[in-house]
Amino acid sequence: MREPKQNSHEARRWHISRRAFLRGVGVTMSLPWLESLPTWGEEVAPAAGEAAAAFPKRMAILFWGNGVNSNHWWAKGAGAEMELGKSLEPLAPFKTRMNVISGLFNRSAVGVGIHPGQTGNLLSGMPLTKGAVLHGGVSMDQVLANQIGQDAVQPSMVLGCEQPVTGYHESNFSMAYSSHISWQNADSPVPMEVYPSLAFDSLFENRGSRRMQSILDRVKDEASSLQRKVSSTDKAKIDEYLASVREVEKRVEKMRTDQARGEAAVKEHGPSALFTMKRPDNGLPEDIREHMRLMCDIVALGFQTDKTRVASLLLCRDLSGLFYPFLDVRKSHHPASHEDLSDAYERITRYYVSQAAYLAEKLSSMPEGNGNVLDHSCIMFLSNMWSGSKHDSTKLPIVLIGGLSGTLETGRVLDYRDKGDDNRKVCSLYLSLMDKMGVKLPHFGDAEARLAEI
């Protein structure tokens, strides 16, 4: 079939677009940045001094519920000499590339009731309505998705590693607030993808009757053709990228069978069956370590290929029922958090920090221009409270990893506890981060001012 007649500018745009993807039957695979090709949305590659600004900025939000072991969550000093408490040790390789922030709070989550009222507005800063009607605010990740989402294939990626729950908490807040951090409007959470196989399929637009076949087999002809046209450096990068995709694909394959089993149970017993079934009968990976790593891998691939620039990952929900036998912890997450100063809960805290470190390492290993994907990204790692035993949300544990193309100074420990309530709003942090992502708002949540030093 003859291509439509185009002027030279349109023809070049079409050519670039064709080379930005590998396509096969029922699948589209976005490519990472390649030096042989013009950079994202540009006609020519940037000069060396302009390289950082030429790459897209990305924001990933990683959440875990119920706070930390405060005895071991601390940092002091700066840069490579920064000292970290035991729970933050997994982030030691990123001392110069992160900020440890303490003392910020979400005013709308203080004094309103425990758990759901401390979670559903974590990323919006808006008061929540009790009772049967959900009402809060749009979360900052979705504000970003609405403003810059059109610049990528997928406006945002919203993933989770634990099924949401229904019903009401004793505080009369809906449990939907405990189960979701990403809200598309004041009344509705963004549907959260918890199945790695479906998240993987969405990443590569894998659909149709051949969905169960390897996506690499379906794009191999285009991949071979492209590798003959690019530089040797880019050829090696493509090889490494395809190997990474195949590694994730192989881990997902078994989960398709597990997912089919869960879907069969829902057909037999109704949707509520998902909330009572245990892993892997509900179609989720039995080992939560594998589940979380897979979801981090999918976020990383989404950022590397510019499939999306905004992602949220709920590692565990508030009031989580996850168990950690590999940590020698007998209680599930929520009961364990009621003994938050115990050695057991410190191991849980450190485990979740290791997930942020894992994603940071994945992004850091992905070359992009003169740096890597982490250089142009920010991972915001946070919980909804400081102490699980006291349900204390008057300060929040937060770590930022990555420099957003040099716009975010890193290697610092920032303490806002003595700055006064008006100067320690977590929504002020969100305003500052959104500024750096190119989204400038006059106010957000309960904040009108940007956070000092960010």
Side-chain angles (χ1 to χ4, degrees):
M1 182 178 184
R2 181 173 296 186
E3 301 296 342
K5 186 176 181 180
Q6 301 163 309
N7 61 38
S8 60
H9 177 79
E10 290 173 338
R12 189 173 186 190
R13 281 293 187 193
W14 177 87
H15 184 59
I16 293 169
S17 174
R18 291 285 294 170
R19 294 177 69 185
F21 301 88
L22 300 177
R23 292 184 174 88
V25 179
V27 64
T28 301
M29 178 181 284
S30 302
L31 289 171
W33 180 84
L34 301 172
E35 65 180 18
S36 304
L37 308 182
T39 192
W40 308 113
E42 297 291 336
E43 290 292 342
V44 294
E50 302 170 341
F55 297 104
K57 297 174 185 174
R58 298 93 161 185
M59 173 67 64
I61 300 166
L62 268 61
F63 168 86
W64 84 105
N66 299 20
V68 302
N69 180 315
S70 58
N71 286 343
H72 298 284
W73 184 282
W74 57 265
K76 57 185 179 181
E81 303 305 315
M82 185 186 297
E83 297 180 48
L84 301 176
K86 185 177 181 181
S87 294
L88 288 170
E89 284 179 355
L91 289 171
F94 301 97
K95 290 178 181 179
T96 62
R97 307 173 74 180
M98 70 183 190
N99 292 312
V100 181
I101 302 176
S102 62
L104 300 186
F105 83 127
N106 178 15
R107 191 190 302 274
S108 295
V110 176
V112 298
I114 61 176
H115 292 300
Q118 298 172 302
T119 308
N121 57 9
L122 179 64
L123 297 181
S124 74
M126 296 299 290
L128 302 178
T129 299
K130 294 185 178 183
V133 177
L134 293 176
H135 192 79
V138 181
S139 54
M140 64 92 72
D141 64 311
Q142 292 308 298
V143 172
L144 288 172
N146 292 336
Q147 295 290 323
I148 66 172
Q150 71 277 2
D151 296 331
V153 179
Q154 190 171 319
S156 72
M157 188 180 290
V158 179
L159 307 178
C161 296
E162 194 171 15
Q163 291 279 14
V165 292
T166 58
Y168 295 91
H169 187 256
E170 61 190 38
S171 60
N172 200 28
F173 281 110
S174 170
M175 291 296 287
Y177 293 133
S178 274
S179 302
H180 300 275
I181 59 169
S182 185
W183 292 75
Q184 57 193 350
N185 56 50
D187 308 318
S188 304
V190 179
M192 179 175 61
E193 185 55 72
V194 297
Y195 291 100
S197 57
L198 294 183
F200 180 83
D201 289 345
S202 178
L203 184 64
F204 297 108
E205 300 177 33
N206 187 26
R207 56 190 180 272
S209 60
R210 298 182 65 181
R211 187 172 67 88
M212 304 298 283
Q213 298 179 13
S214 170
I215 64 172
L216 296 183
D217 289 345
R218 285 179 276 161
V219 301
K220 64 181 180 181
D221 290 342
E222 282 206 4
S224 297
S225 176
L226 177 62
Q227 287 175 312
R228 291 192 293 269
K229 300 174 183 177
V230 298
S231 67
S232 59
T233 300
D234 279 349
K235 183 179 184 300
K237 187 182 294 186
I238 293 172
D239 287 339
E240 183 177 346
Y241 167 63
L242 296 179
S244 296
V245 172
R246 180 54 183 155
E247 191 265 339
V248 173
E249 184 178 51
K250 289 171 64 177
R251 287 152 60 199
V252 162
E253 285 173 354
K254 178 184 180 300
M255 295 175 191
R256 295 192 189 280
T257 303
D258 296 337
Q259 181 189 339
R261 184 168 57 247
E263 291 173 349
V266 169
K267 288 181 180 179
E268 182 178 354
H269 302 291
S272 61
L274 275 178
F275 305 127
T276 57
M277 279 190 294
K278 297 186 181 299
R279 298 166 179 258
D281 295 337
N282 61 0
L284 299 179
E286 184 172 14
D287 191 330
I288 63 168
R289 292 172 294 182
E290 175 64 0
H291 195 173
M292 292 180 187
R293 293 268 171 124
L294 266 173
M295 290 309 206
C296 286
D297 288 339
I298 289 169
V299 170
L301 287 172
F303 281 5
Q304 181 187 27
T305 59
D306 204 33
K307 177 75 173 188
T308 191
R309 299 178 183 180
V310 182
S312 68
L313 173 56
L314 185 143
L315 294 167
C316 76
R317 52 177 163 76
D318 183 37
L319 291 167
S320 172
L322 293 182
F323 282 90
Y324 312 98
F326 53 90
L327 298 176
D328 192 26
V329 177
R330 295 185 178 183
K331 295 182 178 181
S332 64
H333 186 95
H334 173 223
S337 74
H338 285 182
E339 301 173 6
D340 55 324
L341 299 182
S342 67
D343 289 342
Y345 198 69
E346 190 285 318
R347 293 195 295 276
I348 292 174
T349 303
R350 188 158 21 108
Y351 167 73
Y352 278 95
V353 174
S354 74
Q355 304 312 298
Y358 177 79
L359 177 57
E361 176 56 36
K362 292 292 292 189
L363 297 179
S364 183
S365 70
M366 295 172 167
E368 193 169 64
N370 295 327
N372 53 69
V373 175
L374 182 62
D375 292 335
H376 309 128
S377 304
C378 177
I379 301 169
M380 181 167 65
F381 178 63
L382 79 170
S383 189
N384 59 330
M385 63 182 78
W386 179 252
S387 168
S389 62
K390 298 177 181 178
H391 300 99
D392 176 14
S393 57
T394 60
K395 54 183 177 293
L396 302 172
I398 301 175
V399 179
L400 306 179
I401 315 166
L404 286 175
S405 299
T407 63
L408 178 60
E409 183 182 351
T410 56
R412 300 177 295 166
V413 177
L414 303 174
D415 188 350
Y416 296 89
R417 287 176 295 178
D418 299 325
K419 304 298 184 182
D421 286 357
D422 287 343
N423 301 310
R424 63 184 196 95
K425 296 176 180 178
V426 72
C427 287
S428 292
L429 170 64
Y430 301 158
L431 279 172
S432 295
L433 293 177
M434 287 191 285
D435 278 354
K436 298 178 190 305
M437 293 287 291
V439 176
K440 298 184 183 297
L441 304 177
H443 56 82
F444 182 74
D446 64 345
E448 296 180 358
R450 275 62 183 165
L451 189 66
E453 299 186 74
I454 296 295

